[in-house]
Amino acid sequence: MKTQDCVAPDYGYLRPMKRPESATFPVYKKLEEILTDTTEHPDRVIAHTLATCSGYAYSDAATVAMIMARVGLEGNHCRQISQDVDAMFICSHAYLVQSSDGRVVILCYRGTEPMNFINWLTDADVNPETVAVPFADPPVSFQVHGGFYRNVRATRHEVIHALERALEGRSVRAKGKLMPHALEALYITGHSLGAAMAAMMAIMLRTEEAYAPLSRKLRAVYTYGQPMIADPALAKACDADEFLHDNVIRYVFGSDVVPQLPPTVSGPFAHFGQERHCGPGTSAVPVTQPTQQLGNLTGLVAAPLAFLTHQLRLFRNLPFQQSLYDHGPQHYITALTPAGVNSEYGDPG
């Protein structure tokens, strides 16, 4: 198990620098208050904030802390908890970003790295695993994606211990120093594999009695390009839970193929929660019919082909029903940036 702790800057040191007036940080001046006080989801500021966090989770704790400080959580405490076991198809990376006042924590899971073969094997490790989920007493058994479930469990206990420190008014970092306030608002997020892990952790928090104190602080789960994690029976049970139905928000960009995975040849899977579609030049819109499972393997062939043709100007506008190019986290960040809002680099919106 590896951990990395850091504290983000407050960006006061940037003010003397010569740069355009529009390139000011933080992007959101009162982000702690927005994250703490918002009661209805999805919220466009929070969707943009968590998409940005999910995109930069492909880096390290120092980078995540810096970017989240730019977005609005200046002076945040950031902890990375990781476990890699290639033979077990485990590549689990969780980031805990805690506001400087201690009231807000974002739990962000890193997604699938395109060049990391072990991650792809994790996603392909779809052999269902039967787990007892205590939606009722006694718990009912359901089937979940084995690879996603294994990756959540790999770092779960360390993540929970850090969140419990936040509940006690301490830092999520290993030193655990006192914070001005105890945890009031918890958000979970991720892109791709990270999105699947976020959804899986949400189910655990909502159903495990031992996690009830943390569940009461959970405000929402925002995922981006999330594959399916549960069999249809578990998805139905999740949708019967008011919180999971209303406050798990899944964003799908363009023709992103990953939300249609695993394909039906791997067994039956289904989504739960709210689904919102976004694309180039369009705002996120809700859908009444959730994304369906990929019915055959031709889409898996077309998806990388769409990525390749996008690199060639002559073929860039060819229509594809499934696209790996549209899965990129940068597309989600761009599509969910509100009009007139600066980017994490300070570029004017």
Side-chain angles (χ1 to χ4, degrees):
M1 189 72 62
K2 300 177 184 177
T3 62
Q4 181 184 359
D5 295 326
C6 61
V7 176
D10 64 6
Y11 281 95
Y13 72 91
L14 282 179
R15 294 183 183 110
M17 293 177 62
K18 292 182 178 179
R19 69 196 197 290
E21 279 301 314
S22 59
T24 56
F25 298 118
V27 174
Y28 297 112
K29 305 297 183 185
K30 297 182 179 180
L31 186 55
E32 290 97 336
E33 285 79 2
I34 294 171
L35 290 165
T36 304
D37 298 341
T38 299
T39 58
E40 293 187 7
H41 297 278
D43 175 88
R44 65 175 190 165
V45 170
I46 295 175
H48 174 222
T49 296
L50 299 186
T52 303
C53 190
S54 298
Y56 286 91
Y58 290 93
S59 185
D60 54 23
T63 301
V64 171
M66 175 188 67
I67 292 296
M68 294 311 292
R70 290 182 182 181
V71 174
L73 294 180
E74 295 185 278
N76 69 75
H77 290 206
C78 184
R79 186 175 193 195
Q80 178 182 356
I81 300 171
S82 303
Q83 186 176 100
D84 294 282
V85 186
D86 291 357
M88 296 287 291
F89 303 142
I90 292 174
C91 189
S92 182
H93 298 264
Y95 295 87
L96 293 146
V97 182
Q98 183 181 35
S99 63
S100 61
D101 63 7
R103 293 189 298 161
V104 177
V105 173
I106 297 170
L107 168 58
C108 181
Y109 286 100
R110 180 188 293 177
T112 305
E113 300 172 26
M115 300 308 293
N116 188 324
F117 186 59
I118 294 300
N119 272 177
W120 282 112
L121 285 179
T122 300
D123 289 359
D125 182 19
V126 296
N127 291 326
E129 190 158 334
T130 302
V131 298
V133 183
F135 276 114
D137 188 15
V140 179
S141 292
F142 300 97
Q143 291 191 324
V144 299
H145 184 294
F148 300 154
Y149 184 59
R150 187 178 302 112
N151 271 261
V152 172
R153 289 187 301 169
T155 52
R156 176 179 56 176
H157 295 302
E158 286 71 20
V159 166
I160 293 295
H161 290 161
L163 289 174
E164 288 174 341
R165 286 199 297 273
L167 276 176
E168 297 167 356
R170 306 185 73 86
S171 171
V172 295
R173 299 168 64 210
K175 300 276 185 186
K177 77 170 191 176
L178 287 174
M179 302 293 285
H181 298 278
L183 174 65
E184 295 180 21
L186 170 64
Y187 291 87
I188 310 179
T189 191
H191 169 264
S192 192
L193 165 65
M197 294 171 69
M200 194 80 73
M201 176 58 89
I203 296 174
M204 292 177 177
L205 291 185
R206 285 292 298 171
T207 59
E208 295 287 345
E209 185 176 353
Y211 299 156
L214 286 172
S215 179
R216 287 192 286 270
K217 304 300 181 182
L218 181 60
R219 297 296 181 84
V221 181
Y222 286 68
T223 70
Y224 308 91
Q226 180 199 318
M228 302 174 191
I229 67 169
D231 68 11
L234 178 54
K236 183 177 180 180
C238 289
D239 273 329
D241 178 277
E242 184 177 1
F243 179 89
L244 294 176
H245 178 270
D246 294 343
N247 294 295
V248 173
I249 300 104
R250 297 178 295 100
Y251 287 93
V252 178
F253 178 85
S255 301
D256 187 353
V257 66
V258 174
Q260 301 178 52
L261 300 178
T264 54
V265 294
S266 302
F269 288 85
H271 279 303
F272 62 90
Q274 294 190 50
E275 181 171 314
R276 299 232 163 188
H277 284 191
C278 55
T282 63
S283 59
V285 295
V287 298
T288 55
Q289 180 63 38
T291 295
Q292 299 299 303
Q293 195 173 6
L294 190 67
N296 55 61
L297 297 180
T298 57
L300 291 179
V301 176
L305 182 61
F307 179 87
L308 292 174
T309 57
H310 191 88
Q311 313 311 311
L312 304 173
R313 188 185 303 271
L314 181 61
F315 304 105
R316 189 165 294 171
N317 294 321
L318 288 177
F320 284 91
Q321 290 185 323
Q322 292 89 20
S323 172
L324 189 57
Y325 176 80
D326 284 357
H327 187 56
Q330 72 276 16
H331 300 311
Y332 285 92
I333 296 173
T334 300
L336 294 171
T337 302
V341 172
N342 287 3
S343 76
E344 69 275 17
Y345 294 108
D347 301 323

